[in-house]
Amino acid sequence: MRITIFLFSIPIKIPIFVLKFLIEMNKTILITGGAGFIGSHVVRLFVNKYPEYQIVNVDKLTYAGNLENLKDVENAPNYKFEKVDIVDFEAVKSLFAKYSPDGVIHLAAESHVDRSITNPLEFIYTNFVGTANLLTAARDFWKGDYENKRFYHISTDEVYGSLGNEGFFQETTPYSPRSPYSASKASSDHLVRAYHHTFGMNVVLSNCSNNYGPNQFPEKLIPLSINNIRNNKPIPIYGKGLNVRDWLFVIDHARAIDCIFHNGKNGETYNIGGNNEWTNISLIKKLCEVMDKKLGREKGTSEKSITYVTDRAGHDLRYAIDSTKLQTELGWKPSLQFEEGIEKTVDWYLANQEWLDRIVSGDYAKYYEQMYKNR
Ligand code: NAD
Ligand code: DAU
């Protein structure tokens, strides 16, 4: 089929697929939370893979946001940064007016469970109100014309609650969040679906398992342990270390986000996971083994620093994702095995010790002191 367009008042018939291609080009995409751990990998992937897109990184730069993560793309012609707090509705509306975005990939969030126990309100503001602001600004700006527009909400497997020793989270698993963090993420997921059903907004969602890899803030288990091992400090393991997480290399999450943003079906949710379950204690023992090798230490040296500490309040026992839908319908699969991923991760942190040192010497030093002093 062809349609007619007018170029300098001259009618030209062009095939529909050519028109679609032209629309695809010059897409502007807002990526929120792009200075954080996962967001920075998503920004890098999109800036490099889609030079025809305009990528706008929208981030408040909280303690977890670090523009140093994006040094390699900060001067790319298709990349821009906007320092915006998504809790500020006027600022979010201005962003839409300034950039007329075709898509939003929403990663900005307060993301650390322990912090949500200490300070839940921050999580409600950013994760719930912030998402509501973005959705409302998108609805008002797109004015019901959702053709070629898309709102992609990045969520977590924690919304499904905690598993026993058997079973997996599926997209149909009922929500049962149990921490202020997961409850704030679950609420935001519900809002996204409500805007789809009520206003017809084109949305996709994904719920991913635990990520690991370069640039993760060292408050999370793996980078915190790498940092402590290299400094010969105790490695704090909550409770008995028998809680289970399903670990995915962050670049594989970014690849899944690319795939879902472009090919996911309107209104659908996709689970993303590594099919890679570890108890915390076996994971840390593996990490110690890799670190001993890399640091030239005798086997078994770092393990001696493992210290069992008071458990996390309401600590979920086990998360495990069934990502069959994403694999069979959209053809995504993880690109590497955990053994390779953890080696790459350790190599990155050891090659970027200044990055770690800069982070742990700032406000985070005070946080660490506070969080672990009574454990
Ligand atoms: P992160 O904490 O490393 O980064 C969050 C980013 O959001 C930071 O750059 C921060 O500055 C920004 N931000 C926070 N509040 C903001 C606000 N009010 N306005 C604008 N920007 C703000 O988080 P992450 O681990 O990269 O997680 C990113 C997303 O992925 C989150 O939505 C999280 O729930 C989800 N997720 C994370 C994991 C994981 O294992 N880390 C797994 C599944 C899903
Ligand atoms: O499952 C996805 C979620 O994974 C994401 O939505 C969250 O944003 C992300 O932070 C992560 O949550 P977890 O709570 O699972 O990650 P964390 O690295 O904090 O902890 C991993 C496990 O290790 C968990 O069982 C708690 C435990 N732990 C954590 C820390 C920081 C310890 O035993 N000691 C520690 O010092």
Side-chain angles (χ1 to χ4, degrees):
M1 208 166 95
R2 286 164 177 266
I3 69 156
T4 308
I5 62 162
F6 291 88
L7 194 61
F8 304 114
S9 308
I10 304 162
I12 304 175
K13 280 190 188 300
I14 55 167
I16 257 203
F17 77 88
V18 174
L19 184 68
K20 273 195 163 163
F21 176 76
L22 291 173
I23 291 170
E24 278 289 303
M25 282 182 68
N26 303 318
K27 253 191 186 158
T28 297
I29 302 169
L30 304 184
I31 300 184
T32 72
F37 166 47
I38 303 169
S40 60
H41 289 280
V42 176
V43 167
R44 176 175 301 102
L45 177 69
F46 273 67
V47 166
N48 289 333
K49 186 170 172 187
Y50 303 106
E52 70 279 21
Y53 291 0
Q54 182 69 36
I55 302 301
V56 185
N57 173 11
V58 177
D59 202 296
K60 178 184 173 185
L61 299 183
T62 66
Y63 77 93
N66 187 350
L67 287 177
E68 210 183 320
N69 295 347
L70 289 165
K71 273 238 153 296
D72 54 327
V73 294
E74 69 186 5
N75 294 320
N78 62 336
Y79 171 75
K80 283 209 163 51
F81 171 68
E82 287 281 352
K83 187 172 186 308
V84 166
D85 180 350
I86 58 167
V87 177
D88 178 348
F89 186 48
E90 291 306 316
V92 172
K93 277 200 299 193
S94 303
L95 265 180
F96 276 78
K98 181 168 176 187
Y99 289 103
S100 305
D102 306 284
V104 176
I105 304 180
H106 175 35
L107 296 108
E110 286 294 335
S111 69
H112 190 37
V113 175
D114 291 328
R115 286 184 192 255
S116 83
I117 297 168
T118 319
N119 185 8
L121 285 182
E122 209 52 53
F123 286 68
I124 309 303
Y125 297 138
T126 288
N127 299 359
F128 184 65
V129 178
T131 303
N133 284 343
L134 285 162
L135 284 165
T136 307
R139 182 200 64 158
D140 294 351
F141 188 79
W142 290 334
K143 295 190 174 66
D145 177 13
Y146 299 121
E147 177 100 37
N148 301 309
K149 305 283 189 296
R150 170 150 277 187
F151 191 102
Y152 180 4
H153 179 62
I154 310 299
S155 192
T156 170
D157 60 357
E158 300 199 10
V159 298
Y160 297 122
S162 180
L163 291 165
N165 293 329
E166 303 282 310
F168 295 90
F169 296 134
Q170 273 148 347
E171 287 81 359
T172 49
T173 302
Y175 274 30
S176 179
R178 292 152 39 102
S179 73
Y181 164 68
S182 54
S184 67
K185 291 296 290 186
S187 328
S188 64
D189 293 11
H190 289 317
L191 265 187
V192 176
R193 293 193 183 103
Y195 275 61
H196 171 69
H197 289 289
T198 310
F199 306 117
M201 192 179 279
N202 180 336
V203 306
V204 275
L205 298 90
S206 58
N207 296 78
C208 189
S209 63
N210 285 62
N211 284 215
Y212 70 97
N215 301 102
Q216 188 169 29
F217 195 87
E219 63 188 347
K220 308 282 168 68
L221 180 66
I222 291 182
L224 182 145
S225 303
I226 292 175
N227 187 43
N228 286 12
I229 293 169
R230 80 176 171 126
N231 290 317
N232 294 305
K233 281 175 63 181
I235 311 164
I237 299 287
Y238 297 168
K240 296 194 168 94
L242 297 179
N243 304 68
V244 174
R245 298 292 183 264
D246 171 0
W247 294 92
L248 179 71
F249 193 57
V250 63
I251 290 170
D252 281 330
H253 189 186
R255 287 176 48 248
I257 289 172
D258 177 19
C259 172
I260 294 166
F261 180 71
H262 288 99
N263 305 318
K265 285 203 198 107
N266 185 7
E268 293 287 318
T269 296
Y270 299 88
N271 278 352
I272 312 171
N275 199 16
N276 175 42
E277 292 180 51
W278 292 77
T279 60
N280 293 337
I281 186 63
S282 49
L283 174 81
I284 292 306
K285 285 187 175 167
K286 174 78 194 166
L287 182 65
C288 287
E289 190 189 309
V290 174
M291 291 282 289
D292 281 347
K293 205 171 69 189
K294 302 274 177 194
L295 295 170
R297 293 179 181 170
E298 200 181 314
K299 197 168 181 238
T301 309
S302 301
E303 240 187 78
K304 292 188 192 125
S305 299
I306 291 176
T307 310
Y308 292 93
V309 299
T310 312
D311 209 351
R312 172 184 281 174
H315 197 173
D316 288 339
L317 178 67
R318 175 171 166 257
Y319 306 142
I321 276 277
D322 177 352
S323 63
T324 309
K325 178 176 172 182
L326 176 60
Q327 302 211 24
T328 53
E329 290 185 14
L330 303 187
W332 170 90
K333 60 176 192 313
S335 68
L336 47 72
Q337 298 295 311
F338 185 70
E339 281 66 19
E340 194 187 340
I342 200 71
E343 289 237 3
K344 276 181 187 250
T345 302
V346 169
D347 286 344
W348 188 86
Y349 284 96
L350 292 180
N352 290 276
Q353 297 195 45
E354 285 169 11
W355 180 93
L356 260 180
D357 288 337
R358 272 196 292 278
I359 289 176
V360 295
S361 60
D363 274 355
Y364 177 63
K366 282 182 232 143
Y367 161 87
Y368 191 87
E369 193 64 20
Q370 192 63 28
M371 191 61 82
Y372 290 93
K373 75 170 179 222
N374 294 323
R375 282 196 186 263

